[in-house]
Amino acid sequence: MADSSTDPRSILDDAPMTARQWIAVIITIFLNALDGFDVLSSAFAGPGIKKEWHLAPDGLGAVLSMELIGMGLGSLLLGGAADRFGRRRTTLACLLLMVVGMFMATTATSPVGLSIWRIITGLGIGGMLAAINAIAFELSSRKARSMAMSLMVIGYPLGAFLGGLVAAQLLKAHDWRSVFLFGGTMTAICLPLVWFLVPETPAWLMRARPAGALERINRALAALRQPAIGALPPPAPHEQKASLADIFSPALRKATLILSLGYAAHALTFYYILKMTPSIMSDPQFAGQNFTQAQGAGVLAYANLGGAIGGAAFGWFMHRFGIKQATLVALALSVLLVARFGFGANSLMGWTLAVVSVGLFTNSAIVGFYTAFAAVYPTHVKATGTGFALSIGRAGAALSPYLAGTLFKAQLGLMTVSVIMATGSLLALALMLFLPLRRDQH
């Protein structure tokens, strides 16, 4: 066993968090906020896309699924890259993919062209989610880890909220392409932030041991304002080689299956609200009146504000009651409130209250899953395991708007569709009951 005096992982685990560590965690919040806005940019733009290209509900649902398909591929292919090439390097590469995809989406002249660029954007988002999940976990102390993880995850709804407010204003004066232009610009701004302020994690450097590992670890520790180490401890046997097969070893197989399938099931429910709310509100059949696309984007923004508030508070609940127990409660409330969404509303305030209450608990459950990914998988497969679970989860996310659009096309009412879509969280709850995660794992 490595001596804690020369193990940088033990230093970061046991020492108080420094300002520089919190800065790195805050940047992961910003990065996840970009993901939140980038993923939902097509939902904000959805009514305009539907109108310009005369798309039926299932056609729009297919377009809205494209970046989610890309995210699934990115999580699987590029999530593993974070374990092989490093968290920081993978994050920078994924940011470049997102910048290209967002800017090029503004040039699309057909649903097919837009779909291609949304898949490319999704590739970057999917890979970066796995990488920043590992960064937030590995750069935080054991005591602050639950809070750091919950803060990182709430970046997603926070970005969607603030971005939604901006999108609502942009859509008053410009067409839907302005939403993607704004997203691309904000993504590009984050490149230098990562380059200068987020070091490679000492945990990854300890496992991978690239050339000059000791010097690189000490540079990272210095950047985080932590003491240097004098020598590298011997590598643990299981850390010398790592592959995708490791997450299906006897010790991890059960957790991998539960987390992957459970996340996919909950994502089906989660993305129903996030992807379809503006289109539902713009349809008089469901909304009672014809709300504008700007109003729909504004209401969706507040759904994400609810998600951010719920996610922030959820960090305390996980620390107090454990990851598994807190996530089970959030999933149960998700089922009830998504079904309640099926009653609809007759006013803008009514819709806003409905989606805020849903967002409080659907996003809390997302925080629970992300924290479980980081807690279950050891360092050498942390991003690989997270990426695999996210890639399977994206199947549920990608299916969500397409399934909802198909159900609406079949003339099923809002209540019926909402109850069907809520069953995803119910299945996730049933699976989570069997997750091998101790109450004291945070």
Side-chain angles (χ1 to χ4, degrees):
M1 181 176 292
D3 186 338
S4 62
S5 65
T6 60
D7 192 330
R9 294 166 295 192
S10 296
I11 292 173
L12 294 179
D13 273 350
D14 300 331
M17 290 279 285
T18 66
R20 284 300 302 273
Q21 284 173 271
W22 280 117
I23 288 172
V25 170
I26 289 169
I27 290 174
T28 68
I29 299 172
F30 290 158
L31 295 175
N32 211 15
L34 285 177
D35 291 347
F37 177 78
D38 285 358
V39 168
L40 294 182
S41 57
S42 59
F44 297 139
I49 295 169
K50 179 181 178 181
K51 181 178 179 181
E52 178 171 330
W53 291 324
H54 309 290
L55 298 176
D58 56 336
L60 178 62
V63 172
L64 297 183
S65 296
M66 288 301 106
E67 76 268 12
L68 299 172
I69 293 172
M71 287 169 70
L73 294 172
S75 295
L76 181 62
L77 301 176
L78 300 180
D83 282 332
R84 182 175 180 183
F85 301 110
R87 300 6 180 160
R88 180 175 180 271
R89 187 180 299 177
T90 300
T91 299
L92 289 168
C94 290
L95 278 172
L96 286 173
L97 277 177
M98 292 165 62
V99 168
V100 171
M102 291 295 286
F103 280 132
M104 293 305 296
T106 66
T107 69
T109 57
S110 69
V112 172
L114 179 60
S115 295
I116 291 171
W117 295 119
R118 295 307 291 160
I119 288 174
I120 290 174
T121 303
L123 284 170
I125 294 172
M128 190 168 72
L129 284 173
I132 65 174
N133 203 53
I135 288 172
F137 189 92
E138 292 171 359
L139 292 187
S140 57
S141 69
R142 185 182 291 109
K143 184 176 180 180
R145 192 159 286 150
S146 288
M147 182 56 66
M149 293 300 297
S150 64
L151 290 175
M152 185 277 291
V153 178
I154 69 166
Y156 187 101
L158 193 62
F161 167 64
L162 296 175
L165 295 181
V166 173
Q169 296 303 312
L170 290 172
L171 292 169
K172 289 179 180 178
H174 307 283
D175 71 4
W176 58 266
R177 291 174 176 82
S178 62
V179 177
F180 295 117
L181 181 63
F182 173 76
T185 301
M186 297 306 297
T187 305
I189 289 172
C190 281
L191 280 165
L193 292 179
V194 175
W195 182 269
F196 290 109
L197 297 175
V198 179
E200 184 54 75
T201 69
W204 181 82
L205 291 167
M206 273 289 297
R207 197 276 302 171
R209 305 205 176 212
L214 178 61
E215 292 75 13
R216 291 181 63 182
I217 287 172
N218 282 331
R219 283 201 301 270
L221 290 171
L224 298 171
R225 303 298 188 263
Q226 294 287 2
I229 62 174
L232 293 177
H238 72 277
E239 292 186 340
Q240 295 180 13
K241 292 183 179 180
S243 69
L244 184 62
D246 288 357
I247 67 174
F248 291 102
S249 66
L252 294 174
R253 183 187 304 121
K254 182 178 180 181
T256 294
L257 293 174
I258 289 173
L259 289 174
S260 300
L261 297 176
Y263 184 76
H266 180 58
L268 181 78
T269 301
F270 181 70
Y271 280 96
Y272 165 60
I273 301 298
L274 294 188
K275 285 292 190 179
M276 299 304 293
T277 293
S279 297
I280 289 171
M281 288 183 59
S282 68
D283 191 332
Q285 176 185 354
F286 305 124
Q289 58 181 293
N290 193 10
F291 292 105
T292 67
Q293 59 177 316
Q295 288 173 318
V299 167
L300 184 57
Y302 280 99
N304 287 282
L305 177 61
I309 293 171
F314 195 67
W316 180 86
F317 283 97
M318 287 192 297
H319 184 74
R320 176 68 177 80
F321 300 105
I323 298 168
K324 179 177 176 178
Q325 290 75 13
T327 304
L328 287 171
V329 173
L331 287 168
L333 291 169
S334 295
V335 174
L336 296 176
L337 289 167
V338 172
R340 169 65 181 80
F341 178 80
F343 285 111
N346 294 318
S347 66
L348 197 62
M349 179 58 69
W351 281 107
T352 301
L353 291 175
V355 298
V356 167
S357 62
V358 171
L360 278 168
F361 298 103
T362 54
N363 193 70
S364 291
I366 293 291
V367 173
F369 273 105
Y370 271 75
T371 310
F373 297 154
V376 163
Y377 293 113
T379 298
H380 70 296
V381 289
K382 194 177 297 295
T384 298
T386 300
F388 179 82
L390 289 177
S391 69
I392 301 301
R394 296 311 171 195
L399 176 62
S400 182
Y402 182 76
L403 175 60
T406 300
L407 294 173
F408 282 129
K409 187 178 181 180
Q411 301 301 311
L412 297 181
L414 180 60
M415 173 56 78
T416 301
V417 174
S418 296
V419 169
I420 292 171
M421 301 304 288
T423 59
S425 293
L426 183 62
L427 177 58
L429 187 154
L431 289 167
M432 183 63 76
L433 288 169
F434 299 97
L435 181 68
L437 191 66
R438 301 188 312 274
R439 181 168 178 161
D440 62 345
Q441 285 184 273
H442 296 292

